[in-house]
């Protein structure tokens, strides 16, 4: 079988790869090919160093002490907020709330905004391709408030239908909670018309940016979304840190999500008053080192430039899809073109876990399973799929190795 060949494209990927020590690992004695980047990305050395330097030179609790180290830690933590603000184009630094990740960011909005605003008359609009993190928090608040969750469908071939989403936005819609990029299909959702339509009926929009943040430019002012959530670990930063962007006036009107230190102004047994945003939503000691690591990761990405990264990854993905299309038995999920960073597929007669295990023995990391998107698996009538997901440090040669090994695996197992 003739698989399309690797073509040379210009991006100094070899230099970038030098920044990621883990890429030199050799699982089972084979060179690592890490193609599970949608699950989590690897970390450049400077992020790891920023975290250890912080612990070695500046660690103390933030916002609490007047001593030297506390001031230093606070400055570094707040500087990370400024970096995030600039990265996503937020108007005010107070609009950036540090959370544990996308999941916590969405839970915060569902609990705080949803708990206060939703009633049995209201609808929460999602899509069938949402990650469980953008479904279950809404189910929890729907149970408490009586609101109804309405999932917008895809076209029968798995391609995105703007019309179906726009049609599903009605006078009853209070919130549209939608992924910017699907973690299974790689669909890039055209957010602007959806946000415009939602605002027309008085609804707000939460964008789950978990799979977009490392791959396409994000400008929350231009989008005019009300909330934008993402995780640090998917954009070359540490685990345990995420971001919730929210428009300031909305955040100011929302009740706190969790109670504890730092989120209060004055506590008495009779009545407690709360701190200003963003601190109202950052109860307890925050993930200080992680925020610093995230700031460093974002600066790293900014130096390379998201448009250059996007272009490189697009070439890798196009090559990957072209080669998958040539392997007998492979069925790609969703559209073959106009997608970003991920390619999910099924192979008739071969279980995705067997594929992932076969590839793993060759040092190639891909993900197999339901990808935390069981309603989407139901839509396709499957239980699981295999997924290749790329990042800026991947190479055409790695795509070649992965697809050739897949071809061999299918020929052996089918
Ligand atoms: N998707 C994947 O392999 P957390 O776990 O909070 O960092 O991110 C959750 C999340 C939310 N939305 C989308 C679209 C996502 O893709 C994810 C994480 C990983 O696809 C792990 S299941």
């Amino acid at each position: 079988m003739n698989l399309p060949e690797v073509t040379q494209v210009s991006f100094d990927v070899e230099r970038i790869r030098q920044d990621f020590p883990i890429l030199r690992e050799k699982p089972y004695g084979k060179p690592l090919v890490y193609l599970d980047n949608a699950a989590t990305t690897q970390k450049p050395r400077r992020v790891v160093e920023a975290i250890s330097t912080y612990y070695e030179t500046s660690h103390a609790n933030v916002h609490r002490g007047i001593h030297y180290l506390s001031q230093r830690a606070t400055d570094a933590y707040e500087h990370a907020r400024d970096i995030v603000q600039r990265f996503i184009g937020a108007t005010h630094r107070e609009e950036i709330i540090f959370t544990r990740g996308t999941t916590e960011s969405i839970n915060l909005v569902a609990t705080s905004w949803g708990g206060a605003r939703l009633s049995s008359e209201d609808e929460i609009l999602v899509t069938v391709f949402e990650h469980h993190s953008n479904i279950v928090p809404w189910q929890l608040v729907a149970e408490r408030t009586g609101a109804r969750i309405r999932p917008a469908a895809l076209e029968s071939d798995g391609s995105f239908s703007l019309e179906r989403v726009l049609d599903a936005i009605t006078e009853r819609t209070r919130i549209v909670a939608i992924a910017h990029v699907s973690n299974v299909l790689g669909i890039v959702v055209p957010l602007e018309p959806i946000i415009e339509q939602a605002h027309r009926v008085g609804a707000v929009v939460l964008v789950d940016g978990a799979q977009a943040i490392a791959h396409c430019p994000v400008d929350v002012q231009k989008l005019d979304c009300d909330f934008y959530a993402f995780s640090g670990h998917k954009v070359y930063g540490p685990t345990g840190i995420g971001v919730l962007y929210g428009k300031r006036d909305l955040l100011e009107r929302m009740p706190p999500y969790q109670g504890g230190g730092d989120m209060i102004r004055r506590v008495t047994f009779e009545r407690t008053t709360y701190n200003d945003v963003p601190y109202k939503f950052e109860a307890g000691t925050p993930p200080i080192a992680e925020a610093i690591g995230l700031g460093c990761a974002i600066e790293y990405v900014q130096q390379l430039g998201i448009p250059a990264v996007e272009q490189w990854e697009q070439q890798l993905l196009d090559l990957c899809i072209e080669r998958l299309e040539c392997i007998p038995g492979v069925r790609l999920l969703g559209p073959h073109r106009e997608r970003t960073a991920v390619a999910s597929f099924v192979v008739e007669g071969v279980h995705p876990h067997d594929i992932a295990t076969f590839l793993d023995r060759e040092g190639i990391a891909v993900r197999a399973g339901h990808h935390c998107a069981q309603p989407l698996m139901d839509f396709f009538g499957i239980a699981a799929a295999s997924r290749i997901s790329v990042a800026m440090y991947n190479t055409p040669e790695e795509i070649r190795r992965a697809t050739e090994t897949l071809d061999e695996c299918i020929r052996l197992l089918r």
Side-chain angles (χ1 to χ4, degrees):
M1 196 213 24
N2 283 329
L3 293 172
E5 256 325 306
V6 173
T7 47
Q8 210 47 53
V9 279
S10 64
F11 186 74
D12 199 352
V13 72
E14 287 311 324
R15 195 184 55 74
I16 289 166
R17 289 176 70 81
Q18 301 293 319
D19 295 335
F20 291 81
I22 205 168
L23 298 179
R24 292 198 287 272
E25 287 297 302
K26 290 206 162 35
Y28 318 107
K30 314 265 168 67
L32 171 69
V33 175
Y34 186 76
L35 292 169
D36 192 18
N37 295 287
T40 194
T41 53
Q42 301 300 346
K43 317 302 164 203
R45 187 183 292 106
R46 69 178 72 178
V47 167
V48 180
E49 284 173 358
I51 294 169
S52 58
T53 303
Y54 161 73
Y55 279 124
E56 283 171 6
T57 65
S58 310
H59 177 60
N61 214 327
V62 291
H63 305 143
R64 285 165 173 81
I66 49 165
H67 59 79
Y68 177 81
L69 283 183
S70 174
Q71 203 49 56
R72 250 172 103 144
T74 303
D75 289 349
Y77 178 70
E78 291 303 331
H79 179 58
R81 200 186 307 277
D82 295 333
I83 294 171
V84 175
Q85 180 203 347
R86 282 194 295 274
F87 186 51
I88 62 169
T91 317
H92 309 285
R93 65 188 312 281
E94 301 79 31
E95 296 179 318
I96 306 301
I97 298 165
F98 284 124
T99 63
R100 279 195 302 125
T102 309
T103 303
E104 190 177 46
S105 298
I106 298 173
N107 275 280
L108 190 164
V109 177
T111 306
S112 169
W113 183 91
R117 301 289 181 93
L118 293 170
S119 73
S120 57
E121 305 294 301
D122 300 332
E123 283 182 357
I124 301 159
L125 183 69
V126 297
T127 73
V128 292
F129 57 82
E130 296 310 314
H131 186 278
H132 296 165
S133 291
N134 200 23
I135 298 175
V136 185
W138 301 111
Q139 288 176 323
L140 293 172
V141 72
E143 269 172 35
R144 287 205 307 278
T145 60
R148 176 171 165 253
I149 296 177
R150 185 164 175 180
L154 291 163
E155 298 293 3
S156 52
D157 66 354
S159 55
F160 180 74
S161 166
L162 179 60
E163 215 179 321
R164 283 177 197 259
V165 177
L166 293 180
D167 284 352
I169 299 175
T170 69
E171 294 299 321
R172 282 175 170 253
T173 312
R174 281 288 144 267
I175 185 158
V176 177
I178 191 163
H180 194 168
V181 171
S182 154
N183 70 320
V184 178
L185 306 172
I187 291 169
V188 187
V189 172
L191 290 169
E192 277 98 337
I194 296 170
I195 293 168
E196 270 172 34
Q197 179 66 9
H199 287 168
R200 226 169 271 138
V201 301
V204 299
V205 179
L206 173 138
V207 180
D208 170 354
Q211 296 296 345
I213 196 70
H215 307 292
C216 38
V218 172
D219 183 332
V220 291
Q221 276 187 70
K222 202 158 143 239
L223 285 174
D224 196 27
C225 57
D226 301 281
F227 301 104
Y228 195 98
F230 70 90
S231 303
H233 70 97
K234 298 216 201 267
V235 60
Y236 310 101
T239 54
I241 181 85
V243 168
L244 173 68
Y245 157 81
K247 284 184 180 163
R248 191 168 65 181
D249 58 328
L250 270 173
L251 293 175
E252 278 169 351
R253 283 182 282 131
M254 281 160 53
Y257 169 53
Q258 292 182 329
D262 230 19
M263 52 76 70
I264 52 86
R265 189 177 299 288
R266 172 100 177 98
V267 178
T268 66
F269 283 110
E270 289 69 42
R271 181 167 174 266
T272 290
T273 51
Y274 307 121
N275 206 340
D276 295 331
V277 292
Y279 310 111
K280 180 170 78 175
F281 294 107
E282 293 182 357
T285 300
I288 308 164
E290 290 79 0
I292 292 164
L294 173 60
C296 179
I298 289 176
E299 283 184 329
Y300 179 78
V301 174
Q302 280 177 316
Q303 271 170 26
L304 296 168
I306 284 276
V309 168
E310 194 180 18
Q311 209 189 349
W312 173 254
E313 292 177 346
Q314 198 58 54
Q315 298 183 65
L316 292 175
L317 193 70
D318 288 348
L319 177 69
C320 182
I321 287 174
E322 258 180 70
R323 290 176 70 98
L324 288 175
E325 282 168 342
C326 297
I327 303 176
V330 169
R331 178 164 72 90
L332 200 67
L333 300 182
H336 289 216
R337 302 284 171 265
E338 288 177 24
R339 54 159 71 213
T340 189
V342 304
S344 300
F345 56 92
V346 286
V347 180
E348 211 186 308
V350 189
H351 196 281
H353 286 140
D354 293 336
I355 291 177
T357 306
F358 190 99
L359 292 175
D360 173 58
R361 296 302 136 148
E362 296 302 317
I364 302 164
V366 300
R367 187 171 170 190
H370 54 62
H371 306 288
C372 301
Q374 284 177 334
L376 181 63
M377 297 294 122
D378 292 345
F379 175 87
F380 285 112
I382 55 176
S386 306
R387 184 185 68 187
I388 290 175
S389 51
V390 301
M392 59 158 105
Y393 41 63
N394 289 124
T395 65
E397 177 56 21
E398 289 182 315
I399 299 294
R400 186 189 65 72
R401 254 191 73 199
T403 45
E404 268 177 18
T405 311
L406 175 67
D407 186 29
E408 192 190 325
C409 161
I410 292 171
R411 274 188 284 111
L412 276 170
L413 299 186
R414 224 154 68 118

